[in-house]
Amino acid sequence: MKIVSPEQFDFPAFKKLKCQKRFAGNPGTTSKTRYKDVISAFDIETTGLPDIEQSIMYVWQWAFDDVCVVGRTWEQFLNFAENLMELMKPNEVLVVFVHNLAYEFQFLRGIWDFGEKDVFCTEARRILYAKMGTIEFRCSYMHSNMSLKEYTEKMGAEHSKLSGEEFDYSKIRYPWTPLTDQELAYCVHDVIGLVEAIKIEMQHDRDNLYTFPLTSTGYVRRDGKRAMHRVPHTWITKQVPTWHVYEMCREAFRGGNTHSNRHFTGRVLRGTNKVAGVKSVDRSSSYPDVLVNKPYPADAFYEVGPCSLEKFYCLYRKMERACLFRARFTGIKLKDYTWGCPYIPRDRCRNIVAGAFDNGRVLEAESLEITITDVDMRIFEYEYEWDSLEILDLCYTRYAMLPHAFTRLVNMYYERKTSLKGIDGAELDYYRAKAKLNSLYGMTAQDPVKQSIIFKDNEYRLKDEDPQKLLAENNRRRQLPNYQVGCWVTAWARYMLELAIIKVHETPGAFFCYTDTDSVKYMGEVDFSEYNAKCIEDSTKNGAYAVDSKGNTHYMGVLEEDERCRAFVTLGAKKYAYEDLNGKLHITVAGVIKKAGALEMEKKGGIEAFKPDFVFTEAGGLEAVYNDTEYGTIEIDGHSLKITANVYLKPSTYTLGITNEYEYLLSVSGIPVDVF
């Protein structure tokens, strides 16, 4: 590794650099753009000025293979970048990777005038790439979907990100502040390690700059398209949703089922002589399992409109059709008030009258309207009863399994992940297989009518596009399973999770505590052998199993025992703490750093302190303040410092809390302690 100043950089050698050759069959072969044959990475280090809540850059580092250029001012950076651009031909482009480009871009926008066509955003302040003349910055975080430390380590980079524990982030540094060798090494490792990681990944997948996917789902999307080439294209075209069906799919779409049992919320659950603590089971590869083992809408939907209950139940029960429908339930309520995981989400309902709610879930209502699938209806029928039901709008089609070429891809990823786990030297292959397996669902669930965000006149704006035209265009060029598949994937996964919760609920002496997408936490002794036997039967039939390096066979969908808790407490979805059997405290709270949060809670009372109004002051993370306009010039230590657009990161606190509505519900709920 060689570190040089901008003035020491070998510009003649850069000018002589050839461009990479396109592989045969590269996408966009008609483009005249040619990428310089060098892997490059850029990063900045910044200091926050608390008195004015502004940030400044005090050092930048730009790696070119194993050479790293280090500069201290934006003037140096611009001069260096312009020198590079002058040495490049009009059709040549230098690709530069930036880990979390959104952060650097907030500073770059203050020193460079980016046009609308120069920036591609997936969301406001989420930049996939940005072009500065003939320099193209790409976000490696969106490519990897991992922190820089995790990415460099998983790729096996020699210069992985150094630990930040010895780097004092609170120290205010300026462009003229001397940097120690240790501080400089910390900065340089970020870009050198990123270059190494990208090279390793490119070599592993035989990619170059033309084919290297921009996002983490790009690999799976590429493999998926190759698999679907073996399927008659009519399988896709005959299923493309109309605007009406698409709207109903959007209304019916839900993610994983995450909820805590209100009867236990806020109470520390510990093991006793009767009950051996809180246990947990996880569904193995839940989404891949239902992709392979469950049927999906297989044809265009028949759009019936309002429908009689007689016809609906004939289609739903007798003919077992895939049904997507808007319904009005009157006088709906839980059959069993002790049921701890109500299924109906308040935010998916319309026109609710006189409803009672359990932390966002419907306990009862005089009436409500909702859009659901037939799979959801199975859960409704188990949990709820109602006075009347009206089918306001019905669409239906036949069921069939997904094409074998697609499910074979799912099984291949699963087999690779399982067989490579724990094998020395196969860590990268294992990680890639696991990441691809987990990305398959996301590929099916991407909204085909997502409005574009543009960066224009130095502002983020929603592009005004006709949504129906967007859907028509997506339908025209669709190569992967249609959006309704993603809608049914999560529905089937929730249904299979529901069966596990039901098993706990119906087991004498057992109590459901908490669920999150593919896991169930409970107290008591529960026999899941019947559940698992059915999963093994289905997975065996459909090839959804694999043998590990020790000769053990693993099946998708089975419930596997996870870590037991000596003590467990929750305040709602994504908000819980537990002690493992060794007494070590763990926490999961959205917005709180896990490890730091557990250490802070240990200092302040341990698990018993996990209550409303507990304040995390050390583990609350950082809050980003976006300064979009130029602040001006300040005078410091005899230096003039111009502050343009920036991001100021300030320490944030997080206070545990529950809503007043939920607090009241908890006050009137609760299973007596002596029950267990």
Side-chain angles (χ1 to χ4, degrees):
M1 177 174 61
K2 184 178 180 181
I3 302 175
V4 300
S5 69
E7 295 75 23
Q8 295 170 323
F9 183 72
D10 192 345
F11 288 102
F14 176 81
K15 184 177 181 179
K16 292 179 182 178
L17 269 178
K18 295 181 179 180
C19 291
Q20 287 190 347
K21 294 182 179 180
R22 292 178 180 272
F23 295 154
N26 275 171
T29 51
T30 59
S31 172
K32 295 181 180 180
T33 299
R34 293 293 180 265
Y35 294 132
K36 279 285 194 180
D37 192 10
V38 60
I39 304 302
S40 181
F42 177 75
D43 185 33
I44 65 174
E45 300 298 333
T46 63
T47 278
L49 306 178
D51 293 343
I52 57 176
E53 292 201 346
Q54 300 282 330
S55 278
I56 60 167
M57 182 274 296
Y58 64 85
V59 63
W60 56 266
Q61 44 275 345
W62 194 337
F64 297 80
D65 288 333
D66 59 352
V67 175
C68 186
V69 181
V70 176
R72 301 301 300 270
T73 68
W74 284 122
E75 289 78 13
Q76 276 184 306
F77 167 79
L78 283 174
N79 184 60
F80 180 74
E82 287 168 356
N83 285 337
L84 292 177
M85 288 187 271
E86 287 177 3
L87 298 174
M88 297 165 63
K89 297 176 182 178
N91 65 331
E92 291 182 341
V93 171
L94 172 64
V95 174
V96 184
F97 293 95
V98 184
H99 213 74
N100 192 15
L101 177 57
Y103 184 79
E104 271 74 9
F105 180 78
Q106 179 66 10
F107 290 82
L108 290 171
R109 63 182 284 192
I111 63 167
W112 186 270
D113 185 18
F114 289 94
E116 178 183 343
K117 294 182 179 180
D118 296 331
V119 183
F120 185 88
C121 316
T122 58
E123 296 175 14
R125 303 193 188 282
R126 193 173 183 190
I127 315 298
L128 184 59
Y129 65 77
K131 297 178 180 179
M132 193 176 85
T134 55
I135 298 172
E136 180 181 309
F137 293 102
R138 294 185 187 177
C139 184
S140 53
Y141 173 74
M142 293 181 68
H143 164 83
S144 64
N145 202 29
M146 288 183 285
S147 69
L148 181 58
K149 182 175 179 60
E150 186 180 7
Y151 182 48
T152 53
E153 288 179 350
K154 285 192 179 297
M155 291 299 114
E158 180 183 351
H159 297 87
S160 60
K161 182 176 177 64
L162 295 178
S163 172
E165 295 177 1
E166 298 178 2
F167 191 88
D168 186 2
Y169 286 99
S170 64
K171 179 182 176 180
I172 296 180
R173 301 176 178 88
Y174 299 102
W176 54 86
T177 302
L179 299 178
T180 66
D181 290 343
Q182 183 181 5
E183 289 172 329
L184 186 59
Y186 179 84
C187 300
V188 169
H189 266 243
D190 284 359
V191 288
I192 293 294
L194 180 55
V195 165
E196 292 171 346
I198 289 170
K199 283 185 175 181
I200 292 169
E201 191 170 23
M202 280 187 175
Q203 185 176 9
H204 181 273
D205 293 295
R206 298 179 181 178
D207 277 313
N208 63 9
L209 290 169
Y210 300 100
T211 62
F212 198 57
L214 292 173
T215 65
S216 58
T217 58
Y219 292 103
V220 174
R221 190 171 297 277
R222 185 166 64 188
D223 290 350
K225 288 178 180 179
R226 288 172 180 166
M228 293 303 293
H229 283 161
R230 295 189 288 272
V231 179
H233 193 55
T234 53
W235 184 88
I236 294 174
T237 57
K238 69 182 179 181
Q239 296 179 36
V240 292
T242 63
W243 177 253
H244 181 63
V245 169
Y246 163 77
E247 282 190 309
M248 291 181 67
C249 282
R250 287 298 294 167
E251 293 170 10
F253 184 88
R254 283 177 63 185
N257 190 2
T258 303
H259 199 70
S260 69
N261 188 337
R262 65 190 180 281
H263 301 298
F264 296 133
T265 295
R267 299 166 62 181
V268 178
L269 304 177
R270 296 185 180 276
T272 67
N273 292 332
K274 295 182 179 179
V275 181
V278 174
K279 304 171 185 176
S280 181
V281 288
D282 287 355
R283 267 181 43 80
S284 171
S285 300
S286 181
Y287 285 172
D289 163 62
V290 296
L291 278 169
V292 175
N293 288 323
K294 295 298 180 184
Y296 290 85
D299 279 317
F301 279 90
Y302 293 95
E303 300 178 19
V304 177
C307 177
S308 68
L309 286 181
E310 182 180 13
K311 182 174 182 178
F312 167 71
Y313 281 119
C314 178
L315 291 167
Y316 163 53
R317 289 177 178 167
K318 186 176 180 180
M319 300 179 70
E320 297 185 340
R321 293 295 186 246
C323 297
L324 177 66
F325 58 101
R326 294 174 174 138
R328 179 185 296 120
F329 293 87
T330 304
I332 188 169
K333 63 181 180 180
L334 286 174
K335 293 179 179 178
D336 179 359
Y337 190 75
T338 66
W339 178 255
C341 192
Y343 183 71
I344 301 177
R346 182 180 190 172
D347 64 356
R348 289 294 180 182
C349 297
R350 304 177 294 275
N351 303 321
I352 302 176
V353 177
F357 309 100
D358 170 6
N359 203 23
R361 301 298 178 86
V362 176
L363 294 170
E364 59 181 308
E366 286 187 9
S367 68
L368 60 82
E369 296 175 13
I370 190 171
T371 306
I372 58 175
T373 69
D374 59 287
V375 181
D376 298 300
M377 187 63 176
R378 300 184 188 193
I379 303 175
F380 274 49
E381 289 180 325
Y382 178 85
E383 292 189 16
Y384 294 90
E385 59 188 6
W386 48 84
D387 295 334
S388 64
L389 167 63
E390 297 175 70
I391 306 301
L392 306 176
D393 196 353
L394 172 68
C395 300
Y396 74 92
T397 187
R398 70 181 180 90
Y399 266 127
M401 305 298 282
L402 292 176
H404 179 64
F406 186 80
T407 58
R408 184 168 56 189
L409 178 66
V410 182
N411 292 339
M412 181 183 71
Y413 288 162
Y414 183 75
E415 189 278 329
R416 286 182 181 174
K417 185 200 81 165
T418 304
S419 62
L420 294 172
K421 186 175 183 179
I423 296 181
D424 291 339
E427 292 83 3
L428 179 55
D429 288 325
Y430 165 74
Y431 151 70
R432 297 306 304 280
K434 181 179 179 181
K436 287 182 176 182
L437 181 66
N438 294 336
S439 296
L440 280 165
Y441 152 71
M443 183 177 66
T444 67
Q446 186 174 19
D447 183 3
V449 187
K450 184 178 180 181
Q451 290 286 337
S452 300
I453 301 292
I454 60 174
F455 185 76
K456 186 177 182 180
D457 298 329
N458 219 23
E459 293 181 347
Y460 296 96
R461 301 178 181 179
L462 190 66
K463 191 173 182 180
D464 188 15
E465 299 173 283
D466 184 334
Q468 296 195 37
K469 287 183 179 180
L470 286 176
L471 180 64
E473 175 61 20
N474 182 276
N475 288 345
R476 185 186 65 80
R477 54 185 173 82
R478 192 77 182 178
Q479 300 180 56
L480 295 165
N482 287 289
Y483 182 67
Q484 56 264 34
V485 171
C487 184
W488 255 260
V489 166
T490 55
W492 279 123
R494 291 191 301 272
Y495 175 74
M496 295 305 295
L497 186 75
E498 182 83 0
L499 295 182
I501 298 172
I502 289 172
K503 184 63 180 177
V504 173
H505 184 73
E506 294 182 347
T507 299
F511 301 93
F512 161 77
C513 302
Y514 182 87
T515 187
D516 187 350
T517 306
D518 60 359
S519 67
V520 178
K521 296 187 185 298
Y522 63 96
M523 300 184 77
E525 298 296 331
V526 182
D527 181 6
F528 293 107
S529 58
E530 185 177 348
Y531 179 104
N532 283 343
K534 181 64 172 72
C535 290
I536 291 173
E537 178 185 347
D538 291 342
S539 291
T540 301
K541 179 177 67 176
N542 296 312
Y545 63 92
V547 180
D548 65 20
S549 59
K550 298 179 180 179
N552 300 316
T553 304
H554 299 262
Y555 301 87
M556 290 191 206
V558 299
L559 293 170
E560 300 175 337
E561 286 192 17
D562 198 11
E563 187 174 35
R564 295 188 176 193
C565 308
R566 192 171 75 176
F568 175 86
V569 60
T570 178
L571 291 175
K574 304 291 185 182
K575 201 180 298 183
Y576 63 86
Y578 70 92
E579 292 177 359
D580 60 29
L581 295 182
N582 295 319
K584 184 177 180 180
L585 183 64
H586 305 260
I587 70 164
T588 294
V589 178
V592 175
I593 303 170
K594 287 189 176 184
K595 185 178 291 187
L599 292 173
E600 184 174 354
M601 182 154 278
E602 286 277 20
K603 297 176 185 176
K604 298 179 179 179
I607 197 169
E608 297 290 346
F610 196 86
K611 297 177 181 178
D613 298 326
F614 180 92
V615 180
F616 289 96
T617 57
E618 301 171 18
L622 296 172
E623 177 185 348
V625 178
Y626 288 91
N627 298 309
D628 293 332
T629 57
E630 184 174 311
Y631 182 79
T633 301
I634 60 175
E635 299 293 329
I636 299 178
D637 300 336
H639 298 269
S640 294
L641 188 61
K642 185 179 180 180
I643 302 177
T644 60
N646 62 85
V647 188
Y648 175 69
L649 301 177
K650 62 180 182 180
S652 178
T653 62
Y654 182 94
T655 303
L656 289 176
I658 56 177
T659 64
N660 292 335
E661 179 184 68
Y662 195 39
E663 183 178 16
Y664 172 75
L665 179 68
L666 298 181
S667 70
V668 297
S669 298
I671 296 176
V673 177
D674 58 8
V675 169
F676 54 89

